[in-house]
């Protein structure tokens, strides 16, 4: 499990690194408005990307179970159906992102001085979103059959390209937000080319053949049974975060910048649990495909312990250096104070998030993605929005608003543990 999860973790670290460099460059060399703009668009971008990653998860579960069962012809059908679907979704997401996404900035009560840069970033990002989608589906296919090393290598290459282009476009060509957006889509395009070339050169059941690209309706149905609930959950959760961002935006640009800096740091803390959860999905899928139920359960338990230990160490280090970390993104003393306070308030709750991530990953690997969807939507959307609605009208301060996130994790953790312990999730495989 560690051997498989480690490349995922390091790869995600590099991916997060180049997103962080975007914020660091604009925060230190452009303006506070640009820094806020790059941060405020995150919920909108994550809404569409989260929807796609749900389908990617569905494809990975189907492929891993067929691969574990040695049904290689079915693996090939799933691979070609997944890639064909991704090409279609690329067109849909590009159109939606360029036309509709900027309108959502109004829903978030985004300050007028931030809207121009945020709109520009969104339109450039979604114009080049095909690269990101193709990389993720290709990497998901390779990981489903146990290859997490090459996707990691491609992310490293992409991260280096993004960092170099960020510095070139912003510091040399003075392109501002436009520069970091172009750097991102170019880097993602390179990673997608590398992963697609790898699939074209495979000599096993994952080999991609352009002649075989088509959507097999039976296979699409299996992928959708796993992927759609996850996609719907991701999209709706991130859509609700658009409204959470509107509560943050109410407190003004300085608070927005503090929240942006907090988010950039917080995303590094979540990387171990996300990577281990993804590894658990593949681990459970392959072992249940081989009918090794006890080994699948043992892997989930090991994944949970590993996630808690690594996340705990990261929380301790982050809290120890909270102010210098926020200062790295923005030198404004008020921004540093807000960001450091948010870290102290929220990070300890990530132990609950670890449990949610690993158990949800295991359930999806077994073929049960509907229940995690219901539990997470109830906690992350319904509970959180009700809490924020009440708090914002009773005692509207940034600390209580920010607690909407961790309290949602706590509610989800309690329900997720009960379901995992009491249900027969291991009998819900799809093949």
């Amino acid at each position: 499990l560690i051997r498989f999860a480690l490349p995922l973790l390091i790869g995600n670290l590099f991916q997060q690194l180049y997103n962080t460099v975007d914020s660091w460059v604009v925060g230190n060399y452009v303006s506070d408005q640009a820094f806020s703009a790059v941060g405020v668009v995150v919920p909108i971008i994550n809404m569409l990307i989260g929807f796609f990653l749900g389908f990617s998860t569905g494809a990975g579960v189907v492929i891993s179970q067929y691969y574990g069962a040695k049904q290689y012809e079915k693996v090939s059908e799933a691979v070609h159906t997944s890639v064909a679907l991704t090409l279609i979704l690329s067109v849909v997401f590009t159109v939606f992102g360029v036309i509709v996404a900027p309108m959502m900035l109004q829903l978030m009560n985004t300050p007028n001085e931030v809207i121009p840069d945020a709109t520009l970033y969104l339109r450039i990002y979604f114009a080049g979103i095909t690269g990101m989608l193709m990389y993720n589906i290709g990497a998901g296919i390779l990981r489903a059959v146990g290859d997490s090393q090459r996707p990691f290598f491609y992310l490293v290459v992409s991260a280096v390209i993004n960092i170099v282009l960020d510095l070139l476009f912003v510091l040399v060509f003075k392109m501002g937000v436009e520069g970091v957006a172009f750097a991102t889509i170019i880097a993602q395009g390179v990673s997608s080319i590398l992963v697609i070339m790898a699939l074209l050169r495979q000599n096993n059941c994952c080999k991609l053949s352009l002649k075989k690209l088509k959507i097999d309706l039976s296979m699409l149905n299996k992928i959708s049974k796993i992927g759609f609930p996850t996609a719907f959950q991701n999209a709706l959760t991130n859509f609700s975060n658009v409204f959470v961002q509107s509560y943050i935006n109410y407190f003004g640009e300085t608070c927005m910048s503090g929240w942006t800096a907090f988010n950039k740091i917080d995303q590094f803390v979540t990387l171990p649990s996300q990577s281990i959860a993804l590894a658990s999905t593949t681990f459970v899928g392959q072992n249940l495909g081989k009918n090794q139920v006890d080994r699948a359960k043992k892997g989930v338990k090991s994944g949970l312990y590993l996630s808690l230990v690594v996340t705990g160490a990261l929380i301790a280090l982050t809290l120890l250096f909270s102010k210098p970390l926020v200062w790295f993104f923005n030198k404004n003393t008020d921004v540093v104070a807000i960001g450091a306070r948010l870290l102290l308030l929220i990070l300890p709750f990530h132990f609950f998030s670890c449990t949610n991530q690993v158990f949800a990953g295991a359930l999806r690997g077994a073929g049960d993605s509907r229940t995690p969807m219901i539990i997470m939507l109830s906690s992350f959307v319904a509970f959180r929005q009700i809490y924020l609605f009440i708090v914002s009208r009773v005692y509207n301060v940034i600390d209580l608003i920010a607690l909407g996130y961790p309290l949602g994790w706590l509610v989800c953790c309690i329900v997720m543990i009960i379901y995992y312990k009491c249900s027969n999730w291991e009998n819900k495989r799809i093949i």
Side-chain angles (χ1 to χ4, degrees):
L1 190 65
I2 292 175
R3 283 200 305 269
F4 185 78
L6 191 59
L8 290 177
L9 174 59
I10 300 174
N12 288 336
L13 179 65
F14 272 93
Q15 189 170 39
Q16 192 59 51
L17 179 63
Y18 72 67
N19 291 333
T20 300
V21 170
D22 286 353
S23 298
W24 178 78
V25 169
V26 296
N28 287 278
Y29 295 102
V30 184
S31 65
D32 285 347
Q33 288 88 351
F35 183 69
S36 298
V38 172
V40 79
V41 300
V42 169
I44 300 173
I45 291 173
N46 286 348
M47 182 181 67
L48 290 183
I49 293 176
F51 182 84
F52 173 77
L53 292 180
F55 276 105
S56 177
T57 299
V61 170
V62 171
I63 292 170
S64 66
Q65 289 196 11
Y66 277 126
Y67 188 77
K70 301 186 185 302
Q71 297 185 35
Y72 299 132
E73 185 60 35
K74 292 293 185 181
V75 171
S76 180
E77 289 179 11
V79 167
H80 288 92
T81 297
S82 302
V83 174
L85 179 63
T86 301
L87 291 173
I88 295 172
L89 289 176
S90 295
V91 177
V92 175
F93 282 18
T94 298
V95 173
F96 183 90
V98 171
I99 296 175
V100 179
M103 301 177 187
M104 298 181 68
L105 293 170
Q106 303 294 336
L107 290 176
M108 298 163 63
N109 295 324
T110 306
N112 290 333
E113 63 270 20
V114 175
I115 286 180
D117 279 341
T119 301
L120 178 63
Y121 187 93
L122 277 175
R123 286 184 167 150
I124 295 172
Y125 186 93
F126 281 107
I129 199 171
T130 300
M132 190 280 298
L133 299 185
M134 292 304 296
Y135 167 77
N136 276 285
I137 194 63
I141 291 168
L142 292 174
R143 290 168 184 154
V145 298
D147 182 1
S148 60
Q149 294 183 356
R150 279 188 292 178
F152 153 67
F153 171 74
Y154 303 148
L155 269 184
V156 172
V157 173
S158 178
V160 172
I161 291 173
N162 186 82
I163 292 170
V164 172
L165 292 181
D166 267 345
L167 299 174
L168 178 66
F169 290 163
V170 174
L171 301 186
V172 178
F173 297 143
K174 310 297 182 183
M175 293 173 65
V177 167
E178 184 181 16
V180 296
F182 275 119
T184 297
I185 65 173
I186 291 171
Q188 290 175 343
V190 171
S191 65
S192 70
I193 292 171
L194 291 172
V195 79
I196 294 301
M197 287 176 61
L199 291 175
L200 289 170
R201 294 174 178 176
Q202 290 283 98
N203 56 4
N204 57 21
C205 56
C206 287
K207 180 179 176 60
L208 179 64
S209 173
L210 299 181
K211 294 180 180 180
K212 294 183 179 180
L213 271 183
K214 66 175 183 178
I215 294 181
D216 181 281
L217 294 181
S218 174
M219 191 60 66
L220 178 61
N221 183 51
K222 288 184 173 66
I223 292 172
S224 297
K225 282 183 178 179
I226 305 298
F228 184 76
T230 307
F232 182 72
Q233 171 215 312
N234 289 345
L236 193 56
T237 300
N238 283 293
F239 181 71
S240 74
N241 289 343
V242 169
F243 295 98
V244 175
Q245 184 70 47
S246 72
Y247 287 102
I248 302 295
N249 294 350
Y250 170 83
F251 296 99
E253 186 181 311
T254 300
C255 191
M256 288 171 61
S257 294
W259 180 257
T260 298
F262 155 76
N263 268 323
K264 292 302 178 183
I265 299 166
D266 181 72
Q267 286 167 0
F268 280 101
V269 178
T270 64
L271 288 180
S273 61
Q274 291 173 348
S275 302
I276 294 166
L278 186 55
S280 298
T281 298
T282 301
F283 189 92
V284 169
Q286 288 193 6
N287 279 280
L288 291 185
K290 296 177 181 178
N291 203 32
Q292 295 183 1
V293 177
D294 290 340
R295 191 166 187 268
K297 289 183 175 180
K298 194 176 296 184
V300 177
K301 185 182 294 186
S302 299
L304 178 60
Y305 293 157
L306 181 63
S307 180
L308 290 171
V309 169
V310 177
T311 300
L314 277 177
I315 289 173
L317 285 171
T318 304
L319 292 181
L320 184 62
F321 299 102
S322 57
K323 288 187 176 180
L325 287 171
V326 178
W327 181 87
F328 174 79
F329 290 99
N330 195 299
K331 307 298 187 292
N332 186 309
T333 54
D334 292 333
V335 171
V336 172
I338 292 172
R341 190 167 79 246
L342 290 171
L343 288 170
L344 180 64
L345 184 68
I346 295 176
L347 286 192
F349 286 87
H350 271 300
F351 290 112
F352 302 117
S353 183
C354 289
T355 305
N356 300 334
Q357 293 277 358
V358 173
F359 281 177
L363 294 173
R364 294 184 186 118
D368 182 4
S369 62
R370 184 174 300 174
T371 304
M373 175 195 73
I374 294 171
I375 294 173
M376 289 182 163
L377 287 182
S378 299
S379 307
F380 300 160
V381 178
F383 169 82
R384 189 174 287 161
Q385 293 299 327
I386 292 171
Y387 168 85
L388 290 171
F389 180 82
I390 295 173
V391 166
S392 65
R393 281 154 180 79
V394 175
Y395 192 54
N396 192 25
V397 295
I398 183 62
D399 288 7
L400 289 179
I401 294 296
L403 277 175
Y405 274 96
L407 291 178
W409 301 337
L410 173 59
V411 171
C412 182
C413 179
I414 294 170
V415 180
M416 190 74 76
I417 290 174
I418 293 172
Y419 179 79
Y420 183 85
K421 295 292 185 182
C422 298
S423 69
N424 294 318
W425 59 269
E426 66 274 14
N427 296 321
K428 297 186 178 182
R429 69 198 75 174
I430 58 173
I431 66 171

